[in-house]
Amino acid sequence: MERLAMTIKKLGIRLSALALAAAPMNTAQAGGIVGLAHQSAPYAVTKWIGQGRPALAPFSYIQFCVNNPDDCRSSTPAVLKWTKENREMVAETNRRVNRSIRPKREAKDVWQADAASGDCEDFALTKRRKLLAQGVPSSALRLAVAHTPSGEGHAVLLVSTNDGDIVLDNRNNSLRSWRKTDLTWEKIASRENPRIWHSVF
């Protein structure tokens, strides 16, 4: 019995270590507009969306990246420092883009930024481009695909901050934690390379 107890204890330690190793790199260090991301297991399951197994990137998104390589460049994993100034910058960008694009359901699935009219992914790509231009690192700006409560496919932009992943949605102007939306998450672009996508857990 004593040997069995020791084996169970060792197994528990190993499982704990594996769980910590698998936790995403999320919290920020001080410095400038961004912080370098590093592991923070106690918060990973609540504040930051989890990257799971590799998933197929939306084909129209890959076409967008081929035509707009500057929008899809890789960068060192980092998060945006969620200061008052940065919150206001992100909120204003979200509002401005939501006002500037006329919602239109497209017959052909073409992803584009800075369009006069378009659907959800066009809003998300435009917000990403605007925030990149304001100095937010590429790895902190990730496209994600989800489903609305009605089952409709939906694309949004997530901003990774030291206070968690924040959703920018064209359906409203509010900034919400990824866990406090009505979306069912499907897949998300990688932190390191936006051309690579992962399932969400």
Side-chain angles (χ1 to χ4, degrees):
M1 286 294 291
E2 184 177 345
R3 181 177 298 176
L4 179 60
M6 288 295 294
T7 300
I8 292 173
K9 183 177 180 181
K10 289 178 180 178
L11 181 60
I13 292 171
R14 287 174 184 168
L15 289 174
S16 297
L18 285 171
L20 287 170
M25 300 164 63
N26 287 312
T27 53
Q29 297 172 335
I33 190 173
V34 302
L36 295 179
H38 65 274
Q39 186 169 299
S40 181
Y43 298 101
V45 295
T46 56
K47 289 190 174 185
W48 291 273
I49 201 165
Q51 290 185 177
R53 295 178 180 275
L56 287 176
F59 180 71
S60 296
Y61 174 73
I62 295 299
Q63 289 182 312
F64 171 82
C65 287
V66 170
N67 296 327
N68 302 274
D70 287 343
D71 286 276
C72 301
R73 61 182 182 269
S74 302
S75 70
T76 302
V79 295
L80 180 68
K81 291 179 65 179
W82 207 224
T83 61
K84 179 182 178 182
E85 292 76 14
N86 285 341
R87 284 197 302 271
E88 290 174 351
M89 173 186 69
V90 171
E92 174 56 26
T93 299
N94 190 50
R95 288 191 298 268
R96 188 168 66 249
V97 174
N98 284 350
R99 291 193 303 263
S100 68
I101 299 176
R102 179 170 55 86
K104 178 184 178 183
R105 188 179 296 276
E106 298 173 330
K108 186 177 179 182
D109 187 29
V110 177
W111 291 36
Q112 54 188 335
D114 293 327
S117 63
D119 52 18
C120 54
E121 65 268 9
D122 304 323
F123 284 86
L125 288 168
T126 301
K127 292 171 188 180
R128 190 175 191 277
R129 179 177 285 181
K130 300 296 185 187
L131 290 170
L132 282 172
Q134 295 177 82
V136 180
S138 174
S139 59
L141 300 170
R142 294 182 292 158
L143 273 289
V145 172
H147 289 91
T148 65
S150 65
E152 183 181 10
H154 191 54
V156 294
L157 178 68
L158 277 83
V159 180
S160 294
T161 79
N162 60 304
D163 197 36
D165 284 324
I166 306 300
V167 178
L168 278 61
D169 197 330
N170 64 290
R171 297 177 301 161
N172 56 71
N173 291 328
S174 63
L175 303 181
R176 297 180 182 176
S177 163
W178 75 281
R179 283 209 177 264
K180 294 183 179 179
T181 71
D182 60 357
L183 297 171
T184 300
W185 299 97
E186 181 183 343
K187 54 188 174 181
I188 189 169
S190 164
R191 295 178 182 85
E192 294 80 9
N193 185 346
R195 295 171 184 254
I196 298 173
W197 284 56
H198 296 268
S199 62
V200 171
F201 66 87

